[in-house]
Amino acid sequence: MTRVLVTGGSGRLGRSVVASLAETGYDVVSLDRESVPAGELRGDIVQEVIDLLAPGEAERVMSKHVPDAVIHLAAIAVPFSAPEDVILSTNTRLAYAVMSAASGAGVSRVITASSPTVMGYGNPQGWLPGRFPIDEGCARRPWNAYGLSKMVAEETMHMLAAANGNHVQYAAFRPCFVVSPEEWRGAPTQQGHTVRERLDDPRLSAPALFNYVDARDAAEFLILLLEKMDSIPNAQTFFVGAADALAREPLAELIPQFVPGSARLAAPLTGDSPAFSIDKARQMLGWHPKRSWRTELSPESDDGVAAAGSVAQTSGGFAPAGSNQEEAQ
Ligand SMILES: NC(=O)c1ccc[n+]([C@@H]2O[C@H](COP(=O)([O-])OP(=O)(O)OC[C@H]3O[C@@H](n4cnc5c(N)ncnc54)[C@H](O)[C@@H]3O)[C@@H](O)[C@H]2O)c1
């Protein structure tokens, strides 16, 4: 059985990743500073509480668990939630420690979490992308320590791929704003408000350009990537988002209200099109996100009721203006 070691396995995204891996038949080791109560774990998962930045710990766990693959999620995941120098040093050191220890231990597949924030949206000095929808070919221009730390994680992957050739297969992914199953049912997101509030008040979703992804869809992306990364070019980076935007109005109309000067660029974002393209993951891996706010959030209940299904098409009303830079992205 293939053994996958997941760092940050107790986190918002990590919990869905370890559960999906276990349900798919992988042997899963979850490493985190925090443990998940055994009753909340879905599937047979080995947990180890660990500070991956403690000297020698990343190497020790690779020799102890001998994984076939590593998915590195551990990080400070919210911009400005700690001093800038702490975010930069924590996330870059974690990415280097985990990916280099995995490479040194002969792990054959190594995936690291990056973020769409590497693109630099939300910059108070002004920002426009090269194009909408934003794809992996667009230039990265981070403006805070979190975005920079994720760009360094991507570059660490490239450096290790250059050093190790194709003995190790690497990939990075940029998950959009992750919504966990309990958040569809009304649990607060990192910002304290609910997904429904994010949808009802575009000021809350605008800082992330209305992007989002269901945690289980992101987990399914990672499983497909694990299965296919031997057959794609090494060190690829992918956006991982829902097929639609977290908005009731077309982004061609919403984005110009929050991103000055973007009306012409945003014009292609008609209907329910998202700001970030997932065509690369679709074409290279055959990944298709199955869940949308339209299928997961009950229209009747404030609590929201999960009901998995295919992506539907609808629209509705909104309210203008505002900004929140402290976004997990
Ligand atoms: N949540 C999002 O919307 C989002 C969007 C884009 C990228 N990401 C990235 O995806 C990854 C997972 O995000 P998340 O939302 O699940 O974050 P999270 O904060 O819920 O989980 C991160 C986990 O990492 C663990 N961790 C941090 N430092 C550690 C250390 N030194 N040793 C061991 N464990 C440590 C934390 O305890 C936590 O459980 C992160 O790398 C994040 O930057 C998240």
Side-chain angles (χ1 to χ4, degrees):
M1 189 190 288
T2 302
R3 176 170 294 173
V4 185
L5 188 152
V6 180
T7 75
S10 302
R12 169 173 278 95
L13 175 56
R15 286 192 301 270
S16 284
V17 170
V18 297
S20 296
L21 283 166
E23 283 161 12
T24 309
Y26 285 95
D27 182 7
V28 184
V29 179
S30 173
L31 305 179
D32 203 295
R33 279 189 310 203
E34 313 284 337
S35 63
V36 174
E40 290 177 25
L41 282 181
R42 285 187 286 147
D44 189 13
I45 294 153
V46 173
Q47 279 196 84
E48 185 167 337
V49 175
I50 177 177
D51 178 358
L52 285 158
L53 288 180
E57 284 293 81
E59 287 79 7
R60 181 186 66 75
V61 288
M62 298 300 163
S63 342
K64 176 179 170 188
H65 296 290
V66 197
D68 301 291
V70 169
I71 299 176
H72 173 55
L73 306 177
I76 298 176
V78 181
F80 302 111
S81 61
E84 288 287 84
D85 61 330
V86 174
I87 291 179
L88 183 63
S89 65
T90 301
N91 289 355
T92 54
R93 286 169 58 220
L94 274 169
Y96 180 78
V98 172
M99 284 195 277
S100 64
S103 307
V107 176
S108 60
R109 287 168 284 171
V110 179
I111 300 171
T112 192
S114 178
S115 161
T117 57
V118 296
M119 307 315 293
Y121 51 83
N123 186 339
Q125 303 303 322
W127 172 85
L128 285 173
R131 57 185 167 267
F132 278 121
I134 298 166
D135 59 44
E136 292 83 352
C138 292
R140 301 167 300 176
R141 286 180 283 130
W143 64 275
N144 56 50
Y146 177 76
L148 176 60
S149 75
K150 291 301 179 179
M151 186 162 141
V152 173
E154 292 181 4
E155 293 310 308
T156 304
M157 169 190 76
H158 287 296
M159 181 272 286
L160 290 168
N164 294 312
N166 288 331
H167 297 299
V168 185
Q169 294 294 315
Y170 298 93
F173 73 111
R174 299 170 178 164
C176 291
F177 183 85
V178 174
V179 181
S180 63
E182 58 274 16
E183 289 169 356
W184 291 122
R185 295 191 293 268
T189 62
Q190 303 95 326
Q191 286 77 44
H193 50 260
T194 64
V195 181
R196 181 177 297 285
E197 287 164 342
R198 244 180 126 74
L199 187 62
D200 289 343
D201 183 351
R203 290 173 299 184
L204 300 174
S205 286
L209 300 177
F210 306 94
N211 77 42
Y212 77 108
V213 67
D214 183 285
R216 295 158 296 179
D217 278 330
E220 287 162 16
F221 162 85
L222 287 168
I223 289 169
L224 258 184
L225 179 59
L226 277 178
E227 288 167 359
K228 299 204 170 173
M229 61 196 286
D230 284 348
S231 58
I232 63 173
N234 205 353
Q236 296 297 309
T237 299
F238 297 91
F239 282 115
V240 175
D244 59 356
L246 190 66
R248 292 194 164 103
E249 291 289 316
L251 297 194
E253 292 169 28
L254 278 179
I255 284 182
Q257 298 175 37
F258 299 96
V259 181
S262 64
R264 186 186 55 79
L265 281 169
L269 302 179
T270 55
D272 61 2
S273 298
F276 293 87
S277 168
I278 53 170
D279 284 352
K280 181 174 174 180
R282 278 189 170 121
Q283 286 158 14
M284 233 178 218
L285 304 173
W287 175 70
H288 299 279
K290 298 190 187 95
R291 301 159 183 99
S292 158
W293 64 266
R294 295 176 167 98
T295 59
E296 302 306 306
L297 203 58
S298 159
E300 292 86 25
S301 158
D302 278 351
D303 293 338
V305 175
S310 61
V311 175
Q313 316 265 321
T314 59
S315 64
F318 67 94
S323 165
N324 173 10
Q325 295 170 353
E326 198 172 291
E327 286 274 312
Q329 283 291 302

